[in-house]
Amino acid sequence: MPIIVLDPGHGGTDPGAMGNGLQEKNLTLTIGLKVKQLLEANYSVDVRLTRETDRYVGLSERADFANAPGALYFVSLHHNAGGGTGFESYIYPGTSSSETGRRQDIMHKEIMNFLSGYGLRDRGQKEANFAVLRETAMPAILLENLFIDSVNDANLLKDPTFITGLSNAIASGVGKALNL
Ligand SMILES: [Zn+2]
């Protein structure tokens, strides 16, 4: 079975972004666990999480975790902060015309299809030299799912129906990107 690695950002002593009563590390884990459940319910895949509890995991350790068993795809889950709103996705610089970029196109579109129903802003398909994108040997994507420090975004992130819908969109995007 193909191995897919989901990477709930932050954890343990590293809470990630905080605001409006939310901590990024808790949201990324909740969504990671849901996406794993959905993927394994719908496809014949072996889905592994870089962490399944609230613990600290280093960035290189996350990449190694996917590289060692030869995972097919690496999906890093994050939430933004810093005074914006909406969704953006990242791949490693210079990979937009490769399989990595093709999968980003599919994932980004699938997730925005869901988010646009809530009037959320598409901040675009971006590139960045993030460690987990650079050090993973397989195509990788990093999702910034809304802004924790935006009241509007945070209210959605507190809504279990929204979280389930977002998790569904991510799982469906992975399924389409990998032709599962
Ligand atoms: Zn983060």
Side-chain angles (χ1 to χ4, degrees), residues 10 24 78-79:
H10 311 280
E24 183 181 359
H78 287 261
H79 303 278

Side-chain angles (χ1 to χ4, degrees), residues 77-169:
L77 303 166
H78 287 261
H79 303 278
N80 231 327
T85 179
F87 170 75
E88 60 198 21
S89 65
Y90 287 90
I91 57 172
Y92 189 68
T95 60
S96 64
S97 59
S98 71
E99 175 65 11
T100 302
R102 192 192 66 82
R103 291 183 191 177
Q104 182 188 31
D105 291 346
I106 294 167
M107 291 282 287
H108 193 97
K109 187 177 169 200
E110 191 73 10
I111 295 165
M112 267 319 301
N113 272 348
F114 168 73
L115 296 177
S116 59
Y118 288 85
L120 286 159
R121 184 175 157 211
D122 184 353
R123 303 173 60 85
Q125 298 182 212
K126 302 182 176 183
E127 300 184 347
N129 185 15
F130 294 144
V132 292
L133 300 179
R134 183 179 62 247
E135 296 180 17
T136 38
M138 71 296 303
I141 190 167
L142 186 146
L143 308 175
E144 290 281 5
N145 297 316
L146 315 189
F147 280 69
I148 267 183
D149 57 353
S150 147
V151 172
N152 177 65
D153 288 18
N155 282 338
L156 289 172
L157 293 169
K158 289 174 186 174
D159 176 357
T161 304
F162 178 84
I163 292 294
T164 298
L166 174 60
S167 302
N168 258 310

Side-chain angles (χ1 to χ4, degrees), residues 51-78:
R51 65 181 181 93
E52 298 195 357
T53 57
D54 181 19
R55 69 181 184 100
Y56 178 82
V57 185
L59 296 176
S60 297
E61 194 184 335
R62 294 168 191 261
D64 292 346
F65 179 84
N67 292 342
L72 192 62
Y73 202 21
F74 183 93
V75 180
S76 191
L77 303 166
H78 287 261

